[in-house]
Amino acid sequence: MSQSPAPVPEEPAHRRTDPDAQVPTPDGGGLSCLVTGATGYIGGRLVPELLKAGHRVRCLARTPAKLRDYPWAGEVEVAKADVTDAAAVREAMRGIEVAYYLVHGLGGKGDFEEQDRRAARVFAAEAKAAGVRRIVYLGGLTPVDVPEEELSPHLRSRAEVGRILLGSGVPTAVLRAAVILGSGSVSFEMLRYLTERLPAMVTPSWVHTRIQPVAVRDVLRVLVGSARMPAEVSRNFDIGGPDIMTYREMMLGYAKAARLPRRLVISVPMLSPTLSSHWVGLITPVPASIARPLVESLRHEVVCREHDIARYVPDPPGGYLGFTRALQLALRRVQEAQVTTRWSSASLPGAPSDPLPTDPDWAGGSLYTDRRERTVAASPKELWRVIEGIGGVHGWYSFSLAWAVRGWIDRMVGGVGLRRGRRDPYRLRAGDSLDFWRVEEVRQGELLRLRAEMRLPGLAWLELSVGKDAAGRTQYRQRALFHPHGLAGQAYWWSVSPFHAFVFGGMCRNIARAAERGTGD
């Protein structure tokens, strides 16, 4: 009698085939890799691909807690360090063979070029001192025959970082890409929302600039493959997909891929990069501070001059993904709510990052609190389901107009507003963006703590938690906290206090009712 074969154990979720990222496993033993920017869009996707390829991974992060809830967190080492802290970077480099530099100042303010320069110099020097075999850097594709001084500050900074790393004495692969297309990428989100929300649009003249987009799958494949380049290879490589097209053609192509009616696109010459970025910020979830460097990079043609990377990282059998196929894969991931990382995964430069003061006798100044509690005729599990699903399409369970107005005000002053939404409609992890909040802490079934990233004269947090009262009944607890900065902060708190009963009181009641009804919307 034949026996049934033993069941095959299910592969961990982050090791399964991902339509956005298919990287072949190379021959030979694994390498020890350091990944900076692991909480960002590319870094968060690169780590599982390196693991899948058999490499050992150490992540360098300023806030290691943000990596805690990633599905691969238990398979990597985490080193706490800022890339400008030489001593911390030195410690993180110990035993590393390949160092990935994925840190960018996109959306940064002030002298971000000096900050990028300083960070790159620290990274380069410490990699050399630690005996790292290779540096891999993902930068921006620069236009042909355009003097560097005429480039946008962000593209200019990318080019300078590449030169610093190439001059480190460590063999370096500088991979230069233009528009990266993948579910959750900032370029994809900008293209998506502009096209979906505007059946007819008056656009800046840069929509006629030629661009060579590349699928995130191919970017990840090249990043992983670059780890094994021969030691004598140290240079720039252009990477791009098979299609060269204008941004107008990309919008029309998106409309076709998404089965939307054909869009009418009329360009005008008078929209400057500043006005263009505000236009993008008004229509899409991408704030103007992030949109501006993207817009500035589209003023010049960005097309690959060579494809020499294929000598060291061979093209896949079917070649690089074309524009339409890349869009289809990205749209499918969005529709299936399987977006693993988003452009907003990385903290917005300039956003508050101070953790919630935990000392009950905190002496850091005023800390105003609005507390609400309510007994809920539902299980703790049902209440938590509603709490974890808050924001995005589910909204904030109170005074929708007030939340919308607050989001618009934030956008008008250069903030992120409400339109960032959320990565997943049902599950949250530490570090996720959630409308104009950042998830600071998640304890499954117990606590959700959000830190405000809206423009405020102070620091603000919102805590939603599940507990039980003395009689064993489910208890919903809500706490809003505000640490004012100066007189403006004091004035802000007292000016909005009269509305707390409507906003926070309504939220408390409606979350409880949603749990009792068994609905999360």
Side-chain angles (χ1 to χ4, degrees), residues 362-395:
W362 184 61
S366 302
L367 189 62
Y368 295 118
T369 305
D370 180 280
R371 296 177 186 270
R372 311 275 169 171
E373 291 189 1
R374 192 177 182 92
T375 301
V376 183
S379 68
K381 182 178 180 181
E382 189 60 43
L383 176 57
W384 177 253
R385 187 178 74 86
V386 177
I387 290 173
E388 193 174 16
I390 201 166
V393 296
H394 296 140

mmCIF file of all heavy atoms in Angstrom, residues 362-395:
data_model
loop_
_atom_site.group_PDB
_atom_site.id
_atom_site.type_symbol
_atom_site.label_atom_id
_atom_site.label_comp_id
_atom_site.label_asym_id
_atom_site.label_seq_id
_atom_site.Cartn_x
_atom_site.Cartn_y
_atom_site.Cartn_z
ATOM 1 N N TRP A 362 7.301 63.156 35.248
ATOM 2 C CA TRP A 362 8.063 63.818 34.182
ATOM 3 C C TRP A 362 8.162 65.313 34.445
ATOM 4 O O TRP A 362 7.178 65.985 34.752
ATOM 5 C CB TRP A 362 7.364 63.559 32.846
ATOM 6 C CG TRP A 362 8.096 64.109 31.670
ATOM 7 C CD1 TRP A 362 9.345 63.788 31.244
ATOM 8 C CD2 TRP A 362 7.604 65.088 30.751
ATOM 9 N NE1 TRP A 362 9.663 64.489 30.120
ATOM 10 C CE2 TRP A 362 8.614 65.304 29.785
ATOM 11 C CE3 TRP A 362 6.417 65.803 30.630
ATOM 12 C CZ2 TRP A 362 8.480 66.187 28.735
ATOM 13 C CZ3 TRP A 362 6.274 66.681 29.587
ATOM 14 C CH2 TRP A 362 7.296 66.872 28.645
ATOM 15 N N ALA A 363 9.378 65.831 34.331
ATOM 16 C CA ALA A 363 9.616 67.242 34.646
ATOM 17 C C ALA A 363 9.967 68.041 33.403
ATOM 18 O O ALA A 363 10.651 69.046 33.474
ATOM 19 C CB ALA A 363 10.743 67.362 35.670
ATOM 20 N N GLY A 364 9.506 67.599 32.248
ATOM 21 C CA GLY A 364 9.858 68.276 30.998
ATOM 22 C C GLY A 364 8.945 69.416 30.639
ATOM 23 O O GLY A 364 8.975 69.897 29.520
ATOM 24 N N GLY A 365 8.101 69.848 31.568
ATOM 25 C CA GLY A 365 7.175 70.935 31.270
ATOM 26 C C GLY A 365 5.751 70.431 31.281
ATOM 27 O O GLY A 365 5.445 69.346 31.768
ATOM 28 N N SER A 366 4.831 71.229 30.743
ATOM 29 C CA SER A 366 3.415 70.864 30.737
ATOM 30 C C SER A 366 3.178 69.650 29.838
ATOM 31 O O SER A 366 3.770 69.514 28.774
ATOM 32 C CB SER A 366 2.574 72.036 30.241
ATOM 33 O OG SER A 366 2.783 73.178 31.049
ATOM 34 N N LEU A 367 2.308 68.766 30.294
ATOM 35 C CA LEU A 367 1.884 67.626 29.486
ATOM 36 C C LEU A 367 0.377 67.514 29.673
ATOM 37 O O LEU A 367 -0.109 66.956 30.655
ATOM 38 C CB LEU A 367 2.585 66.336 29.929
ATOM 39 C CG LEU A 367 2.382 65.114 29.024
ATOM 40 C CD1 LEU A 367 2.962 65.387 27.630
ATOM 41 C CD2 LEU A 367 3.032 63.875 29.619
ATOM 42 N N TYR A 368 -0.370 68.093 28.740
ATOM 43 C CA TYR A 368 -1.821 68.128 28.855
ATOM 44 C C TYR A 368 -2.405 66.787 28.413
ATOM 45 O O TYR A 368 -1.921 66.157 27.466
ATOM 46 C CB TYR A 368 -2.396 69.254 28.006
ATOM 47 C CG TYR A 368 -1.991 70.630 28.470
ATOM 48 C CD1 TYR A 368 -1.249 71.477 27.650
ATOM 49 C CD2 TYR A 368 -2.347 71.086 29.746
ATOM 50 C CE1 TYR A 368 -0.884 72.741 28.076
ATOM 51 C CE2 TYR A 368 -1.987 72.350 30.183
ATOM 52 C CZ TYR A 368 -1.250 73.172 29.345
ATOM 53 O OH TYR A 368 -0.889 74.418 29.778
ATOM 54 N N THR A 369 -3.470 66.363 29.091
ATOM 55 C CA THR A 369 -4.050 65.047 28.832
ATOM 56 C C THR A 369 -5.565 65.130 28.729
ATOM 57 O O THR A 369 -6.215 65.829 29.511
ATOM 58 C CB THR A 369 -3.678 64.065 29.958
ATOM 59 O OG1 THR A 369 -2.265 64.021 30.100
ATOM 60 C CG2 THR A 369 -4.185 62.662 29.643
ATOM 61 N N ASP A 370 -6.115 64.413 27.769
ATOM 62 C CA ASP A 370 -7.562 64.230 27.669
ATOM 63 C C ASP A 370 -7.816 62.723 27.774
ATOM 64 O O ASP A 370 -7.400 61.953 26.903
ATOM 65 C CB ASP A 370 -8.091 64.764 26.337
ATOM 66 C CG ASP A 370 -9.596 64.590 26.192
ATOM 67 O OD1 ASP A 370 -10.036 63.463 25.856
ATOM 68 O OD2 ASP A 370 -10.323 65.566 26.430
ATOM 69 N N ARG A 371 -8.487 62.287 28.852
ATOM 70 C CA ARG A 371 -8.725 60.857 29.094
ATOM 71 C C ARG A 371 -10.200 60.528 28.905
ATOM 72 O O ARG A 371 -11.080 61.284 29.319
ATOM 73 C CB ARG A 371 -8.322 60.466 30.522
ATOM 74 C CG ARG A 371 -6.843 60.617 30.830
ATOM 75 C CD ARG A 371 -6.599 60.260 32.294
ATOM 76 N NE ARG A 371 -5.234 60.522 32.692
ATOM 77 C CZ ARG A 371 -4.240 59.644 32.607
ATOM 78 N NH1 ARG A 371 -4.496 58.415 32.161
ATOM 79 N NH2 ARG A 371 -3.021 59.964 32.988
ATOM 80 N N ARG A 372 -10.441 59.363 28.298
ATOM 81 C CA ARG A 372 -11.811 58.868 28.128
ATOM 82 C C ARG A 372 -11.808 57.359 28.396
ATOM 83 O O ARG A 372 -10.869 56.657 28.035
ATOM 84 C CB ARG A 372 -12.318 59.109 26.700
ATOM 85 C CG ARG A 372 -12.111 60.511 26.167
ATOM 86 C CD ARG A 372 -13.205 61.461 26.555
ATOM 87 N NE ARG A 372 -12.837 62.846 26.246
ATOM 88 C CZ ARG A 372 -13.674 63.860 26.331
ATOM 89 N NH1 ARG A 372 -14.929 63.666 26.721
ATOM 90 N NH2 ARG A 372 -13.256 65.085 26.050
ATOM 91 N N GLU A 373 -12.890 56.862 29.030
ATOM 92 C CA GLU A 373 -13.048 55.424 29.247
ATOM 93 C C GLU A 373 -14.497 55.047 28.992
ATOM 94 O O GLU A 373 -15.404 55.855 29.193
ATOM 95 C CB GLU A 373 -12.658 55.033 30.680
ATOM 96 C CG GLU A 373 -11.178 55.160 30.982
ATOM 97 C CD GLU A 373 -10.815 54.552 32.338
ATOM 98 O OE1 GLU A 373 -11.732 54.022 33.016
ATOM 99 O OE2 GLU A 373 -9.640 54.622 32.711
ATOM 100 N N ARG A 374 -14.685 53.793 28.567
ATOM 101 C CA ARG A 374 -16.061 53.350 28.318
ATOM 102 C C ARG A 374 -16.120 51.824 28.413
ATOM 103 O O ARG A 374 -15.265 51.128 27.867
ATOM 104 C CB ARG A 374 -16.529 53.814 26.933
ATOM 105 C CG ARG A 374 -18.018 53.652 26.704
ATOM 106 C CD ARG A 374 -18.394 54.211 25.350
ATOM 107 N NE ARG A 374 -19.824 54.117 25.089
ATOM 108 C CZ ARG A 374 -20.699 55.063 25.372
ATOM 109 N NH1 ARG A 374 -20.293 56.205 25.938
ATOM 110 N NH2 ARG A 374 -21.985 54.907 25.089
ATOM 111 N N THR A 375 -17.129 51.342 29.117
ATOM 112 C CA THR A 375 -17.366 49.902 29.178
ATOM 113 C C THR A 375 -18.020 49.467 27.874
ATOM 114 O O THR A 375 -18.945 50.120 27.365
ATOM 115 C CB THR A 375 -18.284 49.556 30.366
ATOM 116 O OG1 THR A 375 -17.658 50.002 31.581
ATOM 117 C CG2 THR A 375 -18.525 48.058 30.445
ATOM 118 N N VAL A 376 -17.544 48.348 27.327
ATOM 119 C CA VAL A 376 -17.979 47.907 26.002
ATOM 120 C C VAL A 376 -18.601 46.520 26.104
ATOM 121 O O VAL A 376 -17.991 45.599 26.656
ATOM 122 C CB VAL A 376 -16.786 47.872 25.022
ATOM 123 C CG1 VAL A 376 -17.250 47.479 23.623
ATOM 124 C CG2 VAL A 376 -16.079 49.220 24.990
ATOM 125 N N ALA A 377 -19.793 46.370 25.566
ATOM 126 C CA ALA A 377 -20.477 45.075 25.565
ATOM 127 C C ALA A 377 -20.018 44.250 24.374
ATOM 128 O O ALA A 377 -20.787 43.913 23.463
ATOM 129 C CB ALA A 377 -21.988 45.289 25.531
ATOM 130 N N ALA A 378 -18.736 43.981 24.341
ATOM 131 C CA ALA A 378 -18.130 43.179 23.273
ATOM 132 C C ALA A 378 -16.867 42.548 23.836
ATOM 133 O O ALA A 378 -16.366 42.947 24.896
ATOM 134 C CB ALA A 378 -17.809 44.043 22.052
ATOM 135 N N SER A 379 -16.354 41.576 23.135
ATOM 136 C CA SER A 379 -15.138 40.915 23.611
ATOM 137 C C SER A 379 -13.935 41.824 23.417
ATOM 138 O O SER A 379 -13.944 42.702 22.536
ATOM 139 C CB SER A 379 -14.917 39.618 22.836
ATOM 140 O OG SER A 379 -14.604 39.909 21.473
ATOM 141 N N PRO A 380 -12.869 41.650 24.203
ATOM 142 C CA PRO A 380 -11.632 42.418 23.969
ATOM 143 C C PRO A 380 -11.110 42.241 22.550
ATOM 144 O O PRO A 380 -10.595 43.191 21.954
ATOM 145 C CB PRO A 380 -10.666 41.844 25.012
ATOM 146 C CG PRO A 380 -11.540 41.331 26.107
ATOM 147 C CD PRO A 380 -12.761 40.799 25.411
ATOM 148 N N LYS A 381 -11.266 41.054 21.995
ATOM 149 C CA LYS A 381 -10.788 40.783 20.633
ATOM 150 C C LYS A 381 -11.533 41.641 19.619
ATOM 151 O O LYS A 381 -10.925 42.198 18.689
ATOM 152 C CB LYS A 381 -10.967 39.301 20.305
ATOM 153 C CG LYS A 381 -10.467 38.906 18.931
ATOM 154 C CD LYS A 381 -10.631 37.409 18.698
ATOM 155 C CE LYS A 381 -10.131 37.016 17.318
ATOM 156 N NZ LYS A 381 -10.313 35.549 17.076
ATOM 157 N N GLU A 382 -12.862 41.773 19.788
ATOM 158 C CA GLU A 382 -13.649 42.561 18.854
ATOM 159 C C GLU A 382 -13.309 44.046 18.981
ATOM 160 O O GLU A 382 -13.218 44.770 17.982
ATOM 161 C CB GLU A 382 -15.141 42.344 19.102
ATOM 162 C CG GLU A 382 -16.039 42.958 18.041
ATOM 163 C CD GLU A 382 -15.791 42.395 16.649
ATOM 164 O OE1 GLU A 382 -15.629 41.166 16.511
ATOM 165 O OE2 GLU A 382 -15.729 43.205 15.699
ATOM 166 N N LEU A 383 -13.111 44.509 20.209
ATOM 167 C CA LEU A 383 -12.730 45.903 20.421
ATOM 168 C C LEU A 383 -11.378 46.185 19.797
ATOM 169 O O LEU A 383 -11.183 47.221 19.138
ATOM 170 C CB LEU A 383 -12.713 46.220 21.917
ATOM 171 C CG LEU A 383 -12.234 47.628 22.302
ATOM 172 C CD1 LEU A 383 -13.075 48.709 21.631
ATOM 173 C CD2 LEU A 383 -12.235 47.794 23.817
ATOM 174 N N TRP A 384 -10.428 45.274 19.963
ATOM 175 C CA TRP A 384 -9.097 45.486 19.389
ATOM 176 C C TRP A 384 -9.152 45.522 17.861
ATOM 177 O O TRP A 384 -8.428 46.296 17.224
ATOM 178 C CB TRP A 384 -8.132 44.397 19.846
ATOM 179 C CG TRP A 384 -6.788 44.546 19.210
ATOM 180 C CD1 TRP A 384 -6.234 43.780 18.238
ATOM 181 C CD2 TRP A 384 -5.834 45.583 19.471
ATOM 182 N NE1 TRP A 384 -5.001 44.259 17.877
ATOM 183 C CE2 TRP A 384 -4.726 45.365 18.615
ATOM 184 C CE3 TRP A 384 -5.806 46.670 20.347
ATOM 185 C CZ2 TRP A 384 -3.609 46.194 18.614
ATOM 186 C CZ3 TRP A 384 -4.685 47.501 20.335
ATOM 187 C CH2 TRP A 384 -3.603 47.261 19.483
ATOM 188 N N ARG A 385 -10.040 44.709 17.287
ATOM 189 C CA ARG A 385 -10.156 44.706 15.822
ATOM 190 C C ARG A 385 -10.543 46.093 15.313
ATOM 191 O O ARG A 385 -10.030 46.566 14.298
ATOM 192 C CB ARG A 385 -11.196 43.675 15.389
ATOM 193 C CG ARG A 385 -11.275 43.467 13.883
ATOM 194 C CD ARG A 385 -12.297 42.408 13.537
ATOM 195 N NE ARG A 385 -13.652 42.909 13.708
ATOM 196 C CZ ARG A 385 -14.310 43.581 12.769
ATOM 197 N NH1 ARG A 385 -13.736 43.848 11.605
ATOM 198 N NH2 ARG A 385 -15.543 43.989 12.982
ATOM 199 N N VAL A 386 -11.449 46.757 16.037
ATOM 200 C CA VAL A 386 -11.852 48.104 15.638
ATOM 201 C C VAL A 386 -10.704 49.085 15.828
ATOM 202 O O VAL A 386 -10.428 49.927 14.964
ATOM 203 C CB VAL A 386 -13.087 48.564 16.447
ATOM 204 C CG1 VAL A 386 -13.453 50.000 16.091
ATOM 205 C CG2 VAL A 386 -14.267 47.635 16.177
ATOM 206 N N ILE A 387 -10.011 48.990 16.952
ATOM 207 C CA ILE A 387 -8.897 49.906 17.240
ATOM 208 C C ILE A 387 -7.806 49.772 16.198
ATOM 209 O O ILE A 387 -7.318 50.769 15.635
ATOM 210 C CB ILE A 387 -8.326 49.630 18.647
ATOM 211 C CG1 ILE A 387 -9.332 50.078 19.720
ATOM 212 C CG2 ILE A 387 -6.987 50.335 18.840
ATOM 213 C CD1 ILE A 387 -8.924 49.698 21.132
ATOM 214 N N GLU A 388 -7.421 48.547 15.884
ATOM 215 C CA GLU A 388 -6.308 48.347 14.943
ATOM 216 C C GLU A 388 -6.685 48.750 13.520
ATOM 217 O O GLU A 388 -5.818 49.038 12.697
ATOM 218 C CB GLU A 388 -5.830 46.896 14.962
ATOM 219 C CG GLU A 388 -4.501 46.720 14.268
ATOM 220 C CD GLU A 388 -3.919 45.328 14.388
ATOM 221 O OE1 GLU A 388 -4.661 44.395 14.756
ATOM 222 O OE2 GLU A 388 -2.710 45.160 14.117
ATOM 223 N N GLY A 389 -7.969 48.809 13.223
ATOM 224 C CA GLY A 389 -8.407 49.193 11.880
ATOM 225 C C GLY A 389 -8.684 50.669 11.716
ATOM 226 O O GLY A 389 -9.159 51.092 10.660
ATOM 227 N N ILE A 390 -8.369 51.472 12.729
ATOM 228 C CA ILE A 390 -8.710 52.895 12.694
ATOM 229 C C ILE A 390 -7.934 53.642 11.611
ATOM 230 O O ILE A 390 -6.837 53.239 11.203
ATOM 231 C CB ILE A 390 -8.465 53.544 14.076
ATOM 232 C CG1 ILE A 390 -9.255 54.840 14.229
ATOM 233 C CG2 ILE A 390 -6.959 53.772 14.307
ATOM 234 C CD1 ILE A 390 -9.316 55.345 15.656
ATOM 235 N N GLY A 391 -8.506 54.742 11.136
ATOM 236 C CA GLY A 391 -7.833 55.566 10.134
ATOM 237 C C GLY A 391 -7.990 55.005 8.734
ATOM 238 O O GLY A 391 -8.657 53.998 8.503
ATOM 239 N N GLY A 392 -7.342 55.650 7.759
ATOM 240 C CA GLY A 392 -7.457 55.202 6.375
ATOM 241 C C GLY A 392 -8.903 55.200 5.921
ATOM 242 O O GLY A 392 -9.660 56.129 6.191
ATOM 243 N N VAL A 393 -9.321 54.118 5.278
ATOM 244 C CA VAL A 393 -10.690 54.045 4.757
ATOM 245 C C VAL A 393 -11.720 53.941 5.874
ATOM 246 O O VAL A 393 -12.901 54.262 5.676
ATOM 247 C CB VAL A 393 -10.847 52.849 3.782
ATOM 248 C CG1 VAL A 393 -9.972 53.048 2.556
ATOM 249 C CG2 VAL A 393 -10.526 51.529 4.471
ATOM 250 N N HIS A 394 -11.316 53.480 7.066
ATOM 251 C CA HIS A 394 -12.264 53.321 8.166
ATOM 252 C C HIS A 394 -12.522 54.634 8.906
ATOM 253 O O HIS A 394 -13.474 54.734 9.669
ATOM 254 C CB HIS A 394 -11.751 52.273 9.165
ATOM 255 C CG HIS A 394 -11.638 50.908 8.584
ATOM 256 N ND1 HIS A 394 -10.588 50.050 8.863
ATOM 257 C CD2 HIS A 394 -12.429 50.240 7.716
ATOM 258 C CE1 HIS A 394 -10.742 48.923 8.205
ATOM 259 N NE2 HIS A 394 -11.848 49.010 7.499
ATOM 260 N N GLY A 395 -11.669 55.617 8.713
ATOM 261 C CA GLY A 395 -11.873 56.906 9.353
ATOM 262 C C GLY A 395 -11.556 56.888 10.841
ATOM 263 O O GLY A 395 -11.002 55.923 11.375
#
